[in-house]
Amino acid sequence: MNTDQPPAQDGDGGCPPPPETDPNCNPRLIDEVACEASGVAAQAVYNATYQDLLATAKGDYDAARKDYRAKRHDASLVVQDLRHQIKHLVERIKCLIEQKRVWRCIDDAFCEIVEELECCEPTPGCCVGECDYPVDDACTLTMDELQKRITEYQAMADAAKNCFTELIAEPAALTARVAAAKAAIDGLNASLGADPATTDLKRVYAQALVVFRDIERIWGGFDETHDYVDCLCRALTCWTKGCAAVSVLTGALAVADCKEKAHEAHCEDLKTNTVDEILARYDKLCGHKQCDDSDGGDNGHGDDDGGDHDDGDCKHEGHEGHEGHGDHDHCHECCHHHERHHRHHGHKCGCDDESDDSSGDSADEGAPS
């Protein structure tokens, strides 16, 4: 097992990055730029789905908070009067019912039904809570994790949007509830004014209790005007933040998907054109002019004729002068670079450092001055 092999890097299929001898030459950088561009494009597509909606929502927010203030101000005195009327009607009906146990039993039944209704109806008040959409770790997430978080955040954003839509309709809904309460009280008064012989007081009393509850809930859970406005603002903010977070994650997902496809394409190219890739890497690693074996023939064999001397992969003039020795050192530098580059693959360079150094020293010692 080769313990010198560097650890695999995340984000590239678990494979180590290719060795780069020249930091200014990295064709695979094109994939990085293209993938970043695909992330930006994916974000732009997603942004287009909500930007117009949010722009409209901002105008709706300004209009709704003003409208609600006006509607609530107009309804305040009316609601106060309705509360007074329903309390009076409830007590009046009790007096008309001859047996006290009857209206007490109706009270008990009403309380039980209200408890069940509370399980069926949404809780009054603000329909959105605190929201948080962290995305700082988006680049470290896997594609599955990104997709899961996108789904989660989108659901939260949609819930905030639905809450905002419901709140936008609250001024009109408040006016409708007030009008319905007034009509219900008018109906109770009409029933009590009808022929007693044909009037079912138990039914009228149950109706009065329902109207009493409706009037108590007429503000929709917003005790003050600012409670409604704060909720409206929170819903819009949570919706906006959710969309922005999903946009970032959508871009990150597109980048991750692009990089995975680029890695797959690179692997397929390596498998299909293995020989060409080996030769291209050879040119990159050992393409130095002094070390190119093309001087001695491009067949990979050394030329023993004449003064040329075959020293592994490297060739230099057989003269024993300092000029030849300089070329020898350059060849060693090339081979040393080649050796360092391939050591973790178990490859061995063609040059033998010790034998080359010793032979070079011997040549220098015996050289004429």
Side-chain angles (χ1 to χ4, degrees):
M1 181 176 181
N2 184 7
T3 58
D4 292 335
Q5 184 171 348
Q9 301 295 319
D10 294 336
D12 193 20
C15 300
E20 296 295 341
T21 58
D22 185 356
N24 295 319
C25 178
N26 184 10
R28 295 184 69 181
L29 183 61
I30 297 175
D31 292 337
E32 294 286 336
V33 174
C35 289
E36 291 297 329
S38 70
V40 173
Q43 282 190 258
V45 171
Y46 176 79
N47 292 346
T49 65
Y50 71 85
Q51 285 182 333
D52 290 343
L53 293 175
L54 285 178
T56 302
K58 187 177 184 300
D60 292 341
Y61 165 76
D62 292 333
R65 61 178 182 169
K66 295 175 183 177
D67 192 25
Y68 183 82
R69 287 191 181 98
K71 293 291 196 306
R72 180 146 181 165
H73 178 270
D74 295 340
S76 295
L77 293 178
V78 177
V79 171
Q80 185 176 348
D81 182 60
L82 292 175
R83 283 175 173 167
H84 175 74
Q85 290 187 54
I86 193 61
K87 288 179 181 179
H88 175 72
L89 285 171
V90 167
E91 294 301 323
R92 179 183 172 187
I93 298 170
K94 282 182 179 180
C95 293
L96 293 174
I97 298 176
E98 296 181 356
Q99 296 178 327
K100 183 182 293 187
R101 67 174 181 84
V102 173
W103 61 261
R104 282 184 173 176
C105 191
I106 293 176
D107 284 346
D108 292 340
F110 171 73
C111 291
E112 291 184 4
I113 294 300
V114 166
E115 288 182 359
E116 294 184 24
L117 280 173
E118 289 176 350
C119 295
C120 303
E121 299 171 338
T123 303
C126 192
C127 46
V128 65
E130 299 296 329
C131 55
D132 187 25
Y133 304 92
V135 294
D136 293 341
D137 59 343
C139 293
T140 67
L141 300 177
T142 65
M143 291 182 63
D144 288 342
E145 291 170 336
L146 284 168
Q147 188 59 66
K148 181 179 179 180
R149 191 174 293 188
I150 287 173
T151 301
E152 176 187 352
Y153 286 3
Q154 188 62 63
M156 294 170 63
D158 290 343
K161 175 188 175 183
N162 293 337
C163 175
F164 180 80
T165 302
E166 179 182 331
L167 291 170
I168 288 297
E170 177 60 18
L174 172 59
T175 301
R177 290 196 297 269
V178 172
K182 290 174 64 178
I185 288 180
D186 291 342
L188 290 173
N189 285 323
S191 297
L192 292 177
D195 185 359
T198 60
T199 301
D200 185 353
L201 291 178
K202 292 192 293 293
R203 172 173 289 276
V204 175
Y205 183 66
Q207 290 174 339
L209 293 178
V210 172
V211 174
F212 181 89
R213 178 175 183 264
D214 289 343
I215 293 176
E216 288 300 309
R217 292 160 50 92
I218 205 164
W219 301 126
F222 301 111
D223 296 334
E224 303 291 341
T225 300
H226 70 82
D227 295 326
Y228 166 80
V229 176
D230 288 347
C231 181
L232 183 69
C233 183
R234 189 186 309 165
L236 180 58
T237 301
C238 284
W239 177 17
T240 304
K241 289 169 61 177
C243 290
V246 172
S247 176
V248 172
L249 296 177
T250 299
L253 180 62
V255 171
D257 181 61
C258 175
K259 288 184 176 180
E260 181 174 302
K261 290 178 179 177
H263 172 70
E264 292 173 354
H266 175 67
C267 290
E268 185 63 28
D269 187 58
L270 286 177
K271 290 185 290 184
T272 305
N273 305 292
T274 307
V275 172
D276 291 336
E277 291 297 327
I278 292 173
L279 294 177
R281 188 62 56 85
Y282 166 80
D283 290 338
K284 185 179 184 68
L285 298 177
C286 296
H288 298 291
K289 185 174 182 180
Q290 293 87 341
C291 299
D292 191 349
D293 57 8
S294 61
D295 293 342
D298 203 22
N299 56 5
H301 298 288
D303 184 2
D304 292 336
D305 297 337
D308 288 346
H309 176 67
D310 188 351
D311 188 10
D313 289 344
C314 306
K315 292 181 172 57
H316 58 88
E317 296 294 331
H319 300 294
E320 296 177 348
H322 292 289
E323 182 179 356
H325 184 67
D327 289 344
H328 185 109
D329 290 342
H330 186 90
C331 288
H332 272 294
E333 181 181 354
C334 168
C335 290
H336 291 165
H337 174 79
H338 189 85
E339 177 72 22
R340 286 194 302 271
H341 205 73
H342 289 277
R343 186 178 295 118
H344 68 278
H345 292 296
H347 299 164
K348 185 175 180 181
C349 191
C351 296
D352 189 338
D353 293 345
E354 293 182 1
S355 61
D356 288 347
D357 290 341
S358 61
S359 62
D361 292 340
S362 300
D364 287 343
E365 290 174 4
S369 59

